[in-house]
């Protein structure tokens, strides 16, 4: 079924767009058109920011609501998303190629979970405290909402990554303008419907659909108080420059090239599901994946065999088929990019052990075979640059010190994993890796814990109580004694 929308969601209503441009979405499975929506122009973004400002500055509005009332509204939004879960999973999977089984778990489940988590948190988290002073008086320390938020999200987990911003922003009392990626706009309309259903005050959540120019306009907009961005490191740098000039708070969740460190006592065969989740989830289109597998020389051939077999056994197919484990790349451009890295791996002399081409029998759709390269030098391009596809590079190491050194020899620092039969040993190695997050015998971002990167992987954290503070501004009120 082809979906068509003619309005934008601004100020709690379906607004007529100022321009006439359209964003057309194609199925990565068939390359056929599956929907189209208006392409917002700057005047639409201006309207959205104005609506958010009105909502935020309303003296009896969202920001002034008691935390309990905001929490209840957030729970209504979570319920409204739950009732749309299957449609949401299908829309995301149909647009970006995420296997539907994964979309059902993550894209259809995570946003409601995160909304309920922050609803609960804001109920329990005092927004002010009194501190006894040292100079005779006292100080009231208040956590106030930071204001109007511009939230810019990528296509790989459009709903989940939006919810990492929406939930803490709403909990804090902020109003927001969300800009989804042009590749995934159809799911954004379901979110808008859920916002209406949940009866959030008009203007608290606005959605404008457009590309990078619209994003840049929002980032620099004088009516915006904070920017929350997830996307590529290149775009993040440009956004950080703008925010630096404007002294505008910004959180940046950017790219990664994480290491999966297999220790000599690892039971990889007992953790194949976790290994898939940590290294290949969502067709390799996941920012934190451990796409550099570091294997001890003492068990090198065995690790190469296990990873190679895992990749070869994966079911590649239509993303909407519940049996599919690896779907297509989001776009022809992304498929070409992945293929160019595979060609680079070959020409640099890495040993191809799985995949390397397009799956047989698929002349439509942007598919790439799960691919494994062994004997990869960590300085090689395929070990240093983010490929964002189902391509793994295996590098041998002599001892744990060398494994840690290789893991840290990267411009990025977002995720990672350590595989071992001894969890304490795993944690000790994890502590030595320069990264924002890391797993032991698996990797699953946990909503209660801060998520984010170091080095070129970004600035700031989402999720956990720390993710709430990014949407709050501290104010000290000095009370004379
Ligand atoms: P992208 O940076 O091209 O686009 C992301 C979003 O930013 C889109 O909505 C896009 O329209 C917008 N945008 C692009 N340039 C902009 C600019 N200069 N100013 C304002 N907005 C701009 O990234 P993508 O290709 O959509 O996503 C893939 C990238 O995202 C990968 O590098 C991946 O690692 C990263 N990512 C990071 C995380 C994380 O949490 N760290 C999560 C998912 C994806």
């Amino acid at each position: 079924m082809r979906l068509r929308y003619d309005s934008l969601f601004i100020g709690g209503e379906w607004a007529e767009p100022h321009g006439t441009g359209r964003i057309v979405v194609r199925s990565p499975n068939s390359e056929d058109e599956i929907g189209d929506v208006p392409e917002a122009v700057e005047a639409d973004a201006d309207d959205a920011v104005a609506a958010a400002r009105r909502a935020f500055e309303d003296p009896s509005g969202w920001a002034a609501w008691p935390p309990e009332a905001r929490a209840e509204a957030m729970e209504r939004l979570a319920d409204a998303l739950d009732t749309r879960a299957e449609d949401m999973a299908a829309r995301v999977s149909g647009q970006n190629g995420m296997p539907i089984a994964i979309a059902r778990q993550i894209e259809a489940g995570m946003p409601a979970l995160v909304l309920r988590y922050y609803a609960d948190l804001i109920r329990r988290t005092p927004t002010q405290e009194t501190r006894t002073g040292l100079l005779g008086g006292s100080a009231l320390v208040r956590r106030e909402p930071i204001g109007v938020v511009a939230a810019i999200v990528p296509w790989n987990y459009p709903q989940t990554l939006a919810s990492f911003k929406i939930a803490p922003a709403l909990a804090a009392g902020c109003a927001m303008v969300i800009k989804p990626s042009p590749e995934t706009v159809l799911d954004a309309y379901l979110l808008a419907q859920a916002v209406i259903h949940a009866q959030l005050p008009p203007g608290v959540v606005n959605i404008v659909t457009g590309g990078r120019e619209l994003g840049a306009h929002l980032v620099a907009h004088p009516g915006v108080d904070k920017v929350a961005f997830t996307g590529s490191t290149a775009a993040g740098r440009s956004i950080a420059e703008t925010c630096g000039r404007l002294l505008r708070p910004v959180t940046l969740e950017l790219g990664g090239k994480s290491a999966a460190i297999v220790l000599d006592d690892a039971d990889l065969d007992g953790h194949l599901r976790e290994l898939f989740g940590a290294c290949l989830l969502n067709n390799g289109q996941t920012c934190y994946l451990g796409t550099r597998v570091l294997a001890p020389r003492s068990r090198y051939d065995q690790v190469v065999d296990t990873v190679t077999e895992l990749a070869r056994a994966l079911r590649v197919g239509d993303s909407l088929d519940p049996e599919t484990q690896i779907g297509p790349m989001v776009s022809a451009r992304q498929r070409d990019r992945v293929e160019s890295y595979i060609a680079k791996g070959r020409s640099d002399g890495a040993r191809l052990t799985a995949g390397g081409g397009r799956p047989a029998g698929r002349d439509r759709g942007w598919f790439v075979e799960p691919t494994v390269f062994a004997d990869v030098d960590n300085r090689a391009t395929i070990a240093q640059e983010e490929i964002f596809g189902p391509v793994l590079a295996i590098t041998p190491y002599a001892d744990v010190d060398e494994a840690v050194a290789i893991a840290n020899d990267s411009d990025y620092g977002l995720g990672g994993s350590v595989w071992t039969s001894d969890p304490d040993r795993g944690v000790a190695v994890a502590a030595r890796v320069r990264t924002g997050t890391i797993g032991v015998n698996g990797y699953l971002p946990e909503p209660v814990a801060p998520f984010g990167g170091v080095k070129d992987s970004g600035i700031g954290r989402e999720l956990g109580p720390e993710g709430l503070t990014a949407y709050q501004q501290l104010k000290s009120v000095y009370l004379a004694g």
Side-chain angles (χ1 to χ4, degrees), residues 231-450:
S232 61
T233 296
R237 279 189 208 287
S238 154
I239 289 168
E241 279 179 22
T242 304
C243 291
R245 185 164 42 79
L246 297 171
L247 299 178
R248 181 164 292 172
V250 58
T251 32
L252 301 166
E253 302 288 356
L254 309 177
K257 188 77 191 180
S258 303
I261 304 175
V262 182
L263 296 183
D264 53 10
D265 63 349
D267 170 23
L268 273 195
D269 289 323
H271 289 98
L272 288 181
R273 243 183 75 124
E274 291 82 3
L275 193 65
F276 171 76
C279 300
L280 285 159
L281 191 74
N282 193 19
N283 321 331
Q285 300 179 141
T286 308
C287 50
Y288 57 68
L289 293 179
T291 47
R292 294 185 291 143
V293 178
L294 311 188
R297 284 197 189 280
S298 59
R299 290 181 57 194
Y300 185 66
D301 291 344
Q302 193 193 355
V303 173
V304 171
D305 287 349
T306 302
V307 175
T308 300
E309 283 316 308
L310 171 71
R312 285 190 186 150
L314 292 172
R315 232 183 313 249
V316 182
D318 190 308
S319 62
L320 291 160
D321 179 341
E323 300 294 316
T324 290
Q325 292 168 296
I326 296 282
M329 303 294 94
V330 69
S331 61
R333 192 175 131 252
Q334 186 68 18
R335 191 260 323 262
D336 294 349
R337 183 183 140 95
V338 174
E339 287 184 339
S340 76
Y341 277 112
I342 293 174
K344 181 78 177 134
R346 287 179 195 266
S347 65
D348 281 352
R351 177 162 59 96
L352 185 72
T353 65
R358 296 181 184 181
R362 293 214 165 259
D363 51 354
R364 304 276 290 170
W366 301 308
F367 292 89
V368 180
E369 282 179 321
T371 297
V372 179
F373 284 104
D375 310 345
V376 177
D377 182 332
N378 190 58
R379 294 312 303 168
T381 303
I382 60 164
Q384 286 294 320
E385 295 186 12
E386 183 179 50
I387 299 176
F388 231 50
V391 181
L392 300 181
I394 307 180
T395 300
Y397 69 83
D399 55 25
V400 171
D401 286 347
E402 193 188 11
V404 170
I406 295 172
N408 288 339
D409 180 17
S410 171
D411 290 338
Y412 293 109
L414 181 59
S417 51
V418 184
W419 305 82
T420 173
S421 301
D422 177 352
D424 290 341
R425 191 173 173 221
V427 171
V429 173
R432 297 177 60 191
V433 180
R434 284 194 65 206
T435 185
T437 65
I438 188 161
V440 176
N441 292 330
Y443 182 104
L444 197 57
E446 170 53 67
V448 304

Side-chain angles (χ1 to χ4, degrees), residues 151-157 161 164-165 179-183 210-219 227 229-236 238-239 242 252-256 285-288 330 333-334 337 386 388 412 414 451-453 457-458 462:
I152 299 176
V153 283
W155 45 262
N156 60 339
Y157 293 86
L161 295 172
F164 288 6
K165 299 159 182 58
K179 193 203 79 62
S181 220
E183 291 84 352
R212 64 172 51 203
E213 289 79 16
L214 193 75
H217 180 70
L218 277 173
V219 167
V227 175
F229 174 76
T230 301
S232 61
T233 296
S238 154
I239 289 168
T242 304
L252 301 166
E253 302 288 356
L254 309 177
Q285 300 179 141
T286 308
C287 50
Y288 57 68
V330 69
R333 192 175 131 252
Q334 186 68 18
R337 183 183 140 95
E386 183 179 50
F388 231 50
Y412 293 109
L414 181 59
F451 176 80
S457 292
E462 296 188 314

Side-chain angles (χ1 to χ4, degrees), residues 31-116:
E31 305 179 26
D32 294 335
E33 289 185 12
I34 52 172
D36 62 305
V37 308
E39 179 169 17
V41 297
E42 290 186 359
D44 300 309
D46 295 346
D47 288 351
V49 172
R53 279 235 81 82
R54 277 195 302 278
F56 179 67
E57 287 173 7
D58 178 352
S60 58
W62 182 250
W65 283 20
E68 175 59 35
R70 285 206 300 273
E72 283 171 12
M74 291 169 66
E75 285 165 351
R76 290 198 300 275
L77 180 56
D79 292 344
L81 288 171
D82 280 345
T83 60
R84 290 161 178 79
E86 186 54 32
D87 196 3
M88 190 66 91
R91 286 191 191 198
V92 171
S93 171
Q95 290 174 104
N96 72 0
M98 179 186 296
I100 185 79
I102 295 168
R104 283 184 180 130
Q105 281 175 31
I106 301 180
E107 286 293 279
M110 189 67 115
L113 189 75
V114 173
L115 279 163
R116 292 192 177 102

Side-chain angles (χ1 to χ4, degrees), residues 10-36:
I10 295 174
E13 292 174 347
W14 294 110
E16 187 84 10
H18 286 277
T20 55
R22 308 283 303 172
I23 297 172
V24 176
V25 183
R26 287 182 179 275
S27 159
N29 295 302
S30 66
E31 305 179 26
D32 294 335
E33 289 185 12
I34 52 172
D36 62 305

